[in-house]
Amino acid sequence: MNSRFRALFPFGWGNITKLSIAYFFSTLYFYIPVGTLYLQGKGLNYVQINSLWGIIVGTMFLTEIPTGVIADRIGRKRAINIALGLQLLGEVTYVFARGYGLFALSAVIGGLGFAFGSGCIDALVYDSLRARGREAEMSKAMGAIEAAQKLANLLAFSAGGVMVASLTQERFVTAIVLTACAVGIGFLVSFTIEDSDPGGQAGPTRGSSLALLRDGLRLLRENVLFRRLALLSLATIPFRDYLGSLYQPHFVDAGVHPLWFGLALSLSSGLSILGARYAYWLEERLGARLATLLVTGLPGALYLVMAAVSHPAFSVLAFCALSSSMSLKTPILAGQLNRHIESRNRATVLSMISMASGFYVALMGLVIGRVADSSVPRAFVAMGSIVLAGALVFRTSSVQPNRS
């Protein structure tokens, strides 16, 4: 393996690299910058348009645990194949949808696909690394996959803006079709993933679905450190989606030139690539405890900074720093959580945590929205305070797994 290939693909031509490529293509959503305009052109009103994301989130919430159990029962490769196949089917349905009903169906299909992928990706990555004796590199592996997705965001948003510059329905459809084709490529790449690495860690699990769920609940109840890590992950969710909707009015109030609305988003995406790709450096240099405190608490501190600044340039810089800092947490916490979970029910346990996270984010959205109605900076203060409090209250004195 030459040095250039090793630099781009440090895990060789294995599951981590194949997953990175598959999810790079399946994240190339060229039509996102004009998605609302396209739906308006199809006759949907704002209530219907906003409800589509609610349908996706609701579907994921209801199916997180069942899909995690299925992933453990049938094997993670098949679950990822199903996840990307459903995502592709959702995009094809979206292309041909003409009324709200079919758009809603597309959202249900897509949400089900996202639910299938939410737990089994981490599970497959960790078991693939463990089979090679490299489980300590989980943060690095998850960072590589997340960096690939951030790169896809950056390229898709930039190319999509050029692609639909004339704002016609024909251009919109072209962007959607290209998105579906990209997801299709990711779907095909997923079939190259190996389901069982040496040692058989990533294959199907025997045993009842109820037993898998019961064992996951026992792990949360009996393993104090794992429970604390799960609560830390939950309590320090950085509210990325809410930042995406609130930074724009904040920029308006700060007098930021409209050109920077998109440029700031692109710049933060670029920084997020680096953050996700090299987050493991923090763990190597600071140690797991300090690195965990930093990556979970930093977004909270930067929310407070963003609330305090009103200068146009400083507002843009604060947003870029805040948005990109959110890419540091997932790679590090993924490794720490997975060390405590048995291979047989890994996707089930991770899906349980994901389900709790979805419920928490939806509930907090009501609170944050109420605060933002009175003052956007106050909403930033609220989000920052919640994240910082979570990082401090649930910080771990140790991140080493219990050996039993």
Side-chain angles (χ1 to χ4, degrees), residues 47-169:
V47 173
Q48 293 172 321
I49 292 171
N50 291 337
S51 72
L52 294 178
W53 177 246
I55 292 172
I56 292 175
V57 173
T59 302
M60 291 179 65
F61 176 76
L62 293 173
T63 59
E64 281 282 6
I65 292 179
T67 54
V69 172
I70 292 171
D72 282 326
R73 294 296 303 277
I74 68 175
R76 285 68 185 267
K77 173 186 175 177
R78 290 182 182 176
I80 290 173
N81 294 156
I82 293 172
L84 292 178
L86 287 169
Q87 188 178 341
L88 174 59
L89 179 59
E91 294 307 315
V92 172
T93 304
Y94 193 90
V95 171
F96 291 102
R98 294 295 178 267
Y100 177 73
L102 280 179
F103 283 116
L105 176 61
S106 171
V108 170
I109 296 171
L112 185 58
F114 295 146
F116 258 106
S118 67
C120 64
I121 296 172
D122 289 30
L124 179 63
V125 169
Y126 190 82
D127 285 333
S128 297
L129 290 171
R130 191 172 68 171
R132 299 163 63 186
R134 299 178 66 178
E135 61 267 35
E137 298 181 67
M138 180 67 174
S139 298
K140 185 176 182 180
M142 291 303 299
I145 295 171
E146 186 164 342
Q149 292 177 295
K150 297 297 182 184
L151 177 60
N153 288 151
L154 178 62
L155 295 177
F157 294 162
S158 300
V162 175
M163 197 180 302
V164 297
S166 61
L167 298 180
T168 64
Q169 284 290 311

Side-chain angles (χ1 to χ4, degrees), residues 207-226:
S208 71
S209 300
L210 184 60
L212 293 174
L213 181 59
R214 186 172 56 247
D215 289 345
L217 292 172
R218 183 183 299 116
L219 175 64
L220 284 166
R221 185 175 62 252
E222 297 178 355
N223 189 321
V224 176
L225 181 52
F226 177 77

Side-chain angles (χ1 to χ4, degrees), residues 286-306:
L286 299 178
R289 182 183 179 186
L290 286 179
T292 302
L293 181 61
L294 175 63
V295 301
T296 54
L298 182 59
L302 290 173
Y303 264 121
L304 301 182
V305 172
M306 190 161 179

Side-chain angles (χ1 to χ4, degrees), residues 9-333:
F9 306 108
F11 294 93
W13 190 245
N15 279 347
I16 286 80
T17 298
K18 293 171 183 177
L19 278 169
S20 298
I21 295 173
Y23 276 90
F24 168 80
F25 282 104
S26 64
T27 311
L28 286 171
Y29 273 70
F30 298 105
Y31 67 86
I32 290 297
V34 292
T36 299
L37 298 177
Y38 174 74
L39 293 172
Q40 284 181 315
K42 293 298 180 181
L44 275 64
N45 57 40
Y46 282 116
V47 173
Q48 293 172 321
I49 292 171
N50 291 337
S51 72
L52 294 178
W53 177 246
I55 292 172
I56 292 175
V57 173
T59 302
M60 291 179 65
F61 176 76
L62 293 173
T63 59
E64 281 282 6
I65 292 179
T67 54
V69 172
I70 292 171
D72 282 326
R73 294 296 303 277
I74 68 175
R76 285 68 185 267
K77 173 186 175 177
R78 290 182 182 176
I80 290 173
N81 294 156
I82 293 172
L84 292 178
L86 287 169
Q87 188 178 341
L88 174 59
L89 179 59
E91 294 307 315
V92 172
T93 304
Y94 193 90
V95 171
F96 291 102
R98 294 295 178 267
Y100 177 73
L102 280 179
F103 283 116
L105 176 61
S106 171
V108 170
I109 296 171
L112 185 58
F114 295 146
F116 258 106
S118 67
C120 64
I121 296 172
D122 289 30
L124 179 63
V125 169
Y126 190 82
D127 285 333
S128 297
L129 290 171
R130 191 172 68 171
R132 299 163 63 186
R134 299 178 66 178
E135 61 267 35
E137 298 181 67
M138 180 67 174
S139 298
K140 185 176 182 180
M142 291 303 299
I145 295 171
E146 186 164 342
Q149 292 177 295
K150 297 297 182 184
L151 177 60
N153 288 151
L154 178 62
L155 295 177
F157 294 162
S158 300
V162 175
M163 197 180 302
V164 297
S166 61
L167 298 180
T168 64
Q169 284 290 311
E170 290 76 14
R171 290 294 185 93
F172 296 167
V173 172
T174 299
I176 297 170
V177 170
L178 288 176
T179 297
C181 290
V183 174
I185 294 173
F187 175 56
L188 293 176
V189 172
S190 73
F191 284 94
T192 67
I193 295 169
E194 298 175 9
D195 200 16
S196 295
D197 294 280
Q201 301 295 338
T205 294
R206 291 180 180 152
S208 71
S209 300
L210 184 60
L212 293 174
L213 181 59
R214 186 172 56 247
D215 289 345
L217 292 172
R218 183 183 299 116
L219 175 64
L220 284 166
R221 185 175 62 252
E222 297 178 355
N223 189 321
V224 176
L225 181 52
F226 177 77
R227 184 170 67 247
R228 196 173 185 88
L229 282 168
L231 289 171
L232 175 66
S233 176
L234 183 69
T236 56
I237 291 172
F239 307 113
R240 183 188 300 274
D241 292 334
Y242 301 134
L243 173 64
S245 62
L246 293 178
Y247 88 92
Q248 298 169 34
H250 184 69
F251 275 12
V252 171
D253 292 340
V256 176
H257 192 282
L259 178 66
W260 280 99
F261 283 50
L263 288 178
L265 200 58
S266 296
L267 180 58
S268 65
S269 296
L271 293 173
S272 294
I273 297 171
L274 297 176
R277 180 67 177 80
Y278 297 106
Y280 72 95
W281 280 5
L282 295 174
E283 200 168 24
E284 289 181 352
R285 285 156 177 75
L286 299 178
R289 182 183 179 186
L290 286 179
T292 302
L293 181 61
L294 175 63
V295 301
T296 54
L298 182 59
L302 290 173
Y303 264 121
L304 301 182
V305 172
M306 190 161 179
V309 299
S310 57
H311 187 278
F314 292 150
S315 294
V316 171
L317 290 174
F319 169 78
C320 291
L322 170 58
S323 182
S324 59
S325 72
M326 296 178 183
S327 66
L328 298 170
K329 173 186 164 183
T330 298
I332 290 180
L333 277 189

